[in-house]
Amino acid sequence: MTTYEEQTRAGLRFPTGFTWGAATSAYQIEGAVAEDGRGTSIWDTFTKTPGRVVGGENADVAIDHYHRYREDVAIMAELGLSAYRFSVSWPRVQPDGSGAINAKGLDFYKRLTDELRGHGIDPWLTLYHWDLPQALEDAGGWPNRDTAYRFADYAAAVHEALKDHVHTFSTVNEPWCAAFLGYASGEHAPGRREPGNAIRGAHHLLLAHGLAVQAMNAARVGGCVNLYPVAPATNSEADVDAARRIDGLQNRFFLDALLTGAYPEDVIADLPVDFGFVQPGDMKTIGSPIDVLLVNYYSRYLVSGAPGGRASASAAPTETASPWVGSEHVSFLPGGHPVTAMGWEVDASGLTEILARVAREYPPIPMVVSENGAAYEDVLVDGRVHDTERRDFVEAHLRACRDAIDAGVPLEGYFAWSLMDNFEWAWGYDKRFGLVRVDYETQERVLKDSARWYAEIIRQNRRHEPTDS
Ligand code: IFM
């Protein structure tokens, strides 16, 4: 273990009050899909559809967090986390996505947040991490404008019930994924391949965000985006245009909307739809002031406008179309960096770059890294997982965070993805992102070396905090 002084030199000493967290999401960990009145979500339906998930797996049980949350919070306390980012399952709280609220569903999140607060861990609540109630999908899903209003009602109900338990609420996790993997490529639920509806869906997800911010009047609230630096493979006109397009759809479409209340004109021009679905006042609603921007970061993209590379940087081996609506010709090239078990290139400098860009190009906003981590082929040896690659990944990205702070970025926290191994969407249980290993047969939790290391970094940083913090 490095000493405190060595960490300081290595860029691992953070300002007092920095948030040390880890993240999960409801469908990926909870299980208990048929308990206490929970309704059906699009992921329940999708996972039961042959060919959608590797190995035909589902998260009916997942890692049984619904029953084991006390054990899991004890693990968080052992790690010394100051915050835990989790999501609320919409169908657990409002089984049909509208109308009656299921008190038993809300009670689970009251118990969870009580447990967290009892251990001095700040709950960061995400309202939507992709588990849309199936009834709302049956009514048209995110391409249907009404879904945004249903989301605002749901947000208001959750906020009202949990506002004394939770300090920071965030709205939609990674709206790019919910829109373009859900409705264009079909890699994620509901598995539709309807490019025009993916764009309508993206707008309504953003509208849902804005309406929820307004509905949760007075809450500390954030919006969440997944960002990638995008570079052209060469200086050719085609490659430079490819980079503009992918950066536009992945980053600027969402950042501009959330932080400036407008869509970038060049991106609208790229997209093969009539934007008539944007109604007067929508953009102002979407741009409603937020208190914090949640940035999820995993990798960077190198792109070309010429054929020859992969059609997407990260598709699962299930049958999918391109998520890059209007830019399907763009190809994704290897950038020469090592890759994780997802095939994603590891480049920590991209995190500093993207955080600095947001700080430079947008109105001032406090930020946290709300997800960052890596899947690797973990091996259990004598009860231990020596996951050196994951440890190095987290260390490099923490250093990148420190570099961003040194460059003046108002970065206030870091959440590792993920606290525990869990259900990785179309990949099923094949990819392990956890700091904590989970045996999917016995549900035994084992701290990996990366978790022990992260705990030590947290301990050394937090020992300088005032005792009442
Ligand atoms: O597991 C996901 C998470 O649900 C959203 N962000 C990316 C993670 C890794 O793919």
Side-chain angles (χ1 to χ4, degrees), residues 203-220:
H203 178 66
H204 295 146
L205 281 152
L206 286 164
L207 181 62
H209 156 86
L211 291 168
V213 170
Q214 294 178 353
M216 295 189 292
N217 195 14
R220 180 173 189 259

Side-chain angles (χ1 to χ4, degrees), residues 76-290:
M76 297 176 215
E78 187 181 344
L79 296 183
L81 299 186
S82 55
Y84 171 53
R85 176 174 176 248
F86 64 98
S87 78
V88 169
S89 159
W90 187 349
R92 199 179 284 293
V93 164
Q94 197 178 30
D96 293 328
S98 60
I101 295 294
N102 176 28
K104 283 189 175 174
L106 276 177
D107 282 349
F108 170 67
Y109 299 104
K110 285 184 184 158
R111 292 197 298 277
L112 172 64
T113 50
D114 278 345
E115 190 73 14
L116 288 164
R117 284 150 43 100
H119 284 82
I121 300 169
D122 190 18
W124 282 53
L125 184 156
T126 297
L127 285 158
Y128 185 71
H129 200 123
W130 309 347
D131 43 359
L132 185 70
Q134 182 62 43
L136 293 184
E137 174 59 21
D138 295 343
W142 285 110
N144 177 8
R145 184 178 174 91
D146 187 59
T147 303
Y149 294 97
R150 301 288 68 77
F151 181 74
D153 291 348
Y154 154 72
V158 173
H159 175 245
E160 186 54 33
L162 293 173
K163 64 181 182 220
D164 295 334
H165 295 62
V166 174
H167 182 224
T168 308
F169 291 76
S170 69
T171 55
V172 177
N173 181 68
E174 299 180 353
W176 183 90
C177 295
F180 293 102
L181 299 181
Y183 292 89
S185 75
E187 178 180 337
H188 281 185
R192 285 158 65 177
R193 295 176 199 147
E194 301 164 12
N197 273 332
I199 301 163
R200 293 173 73 93
H203 178 66
H204 295 146
L205 281 152
L206 286 164
L207 181 62
H209 156 86
L211 291 168
V213 170
Q214 294 178 353
M216 295 189 292
N217 195 14
R220 180 173 189 259
V221 63
C224 176
V225 282
N226 53 323
L227 303 180
Y228 294 74
V230 184
T234 71
N235 287 332
S236 75
E237 205 177 309
D239 290 357
V240 170
D241 186 61
R244 180 195 61 74
R245 285 167 170 272
I246 300 306
D247 174 54
L249 198 54
Q250 178 74 60
N251 302 320
R252 289 183 290 118
F253 185 82
F254 295 94
L255 287 171
D256 285 21
L258 293 173
L259 301 178
T260 73
Y263 288 131
E265 284 178 11
D266 65 305
V267 180
I268 291 185
D270 290 341
L271 296 172
V273 286
D274 176 352
F275 267 68
F277 51 76
V278 179
Q279 296 189 7
D282 281 6
M283 298 313 297
K284 188 156 184 266
T285 300
I286 293 170
S288 297
I290 53 174

Side-chain angles (χ1 to χ4, degrees), residues 366-428:
M367 288 182 255
V368 295
V369 173
S370 39
E371 283 184 26
N372 174 246
Y376 286 109
E377 308 286 347
D378 295 332
V379 185
L380 185 68
V381 183
D382 297 332
R384 295 289 293 260
V385 179
H386 303 300
D387 57 339
T388 314
E389 289 171 304
R390 184 175 294 102
R391 192 210 95 132
D392 290 350
F393 183 101
V394 175
E395 178 172 349
H397 287 79
L398 280 173
R399 271 205 221 115
C401 288
R402 182 68 237 197
D403 288 346
I405 292 170
D406 290 344
V409 173
L411 181 68
E412 298 185 348
Y414 175 89
F415 292 78
W417 183 272
S418 179
L419 175 67
M420 301 171 284
D421 291 339
N422 59 48
F423 178 78
E424 178 55 22
W425 307 113
W427 291 94

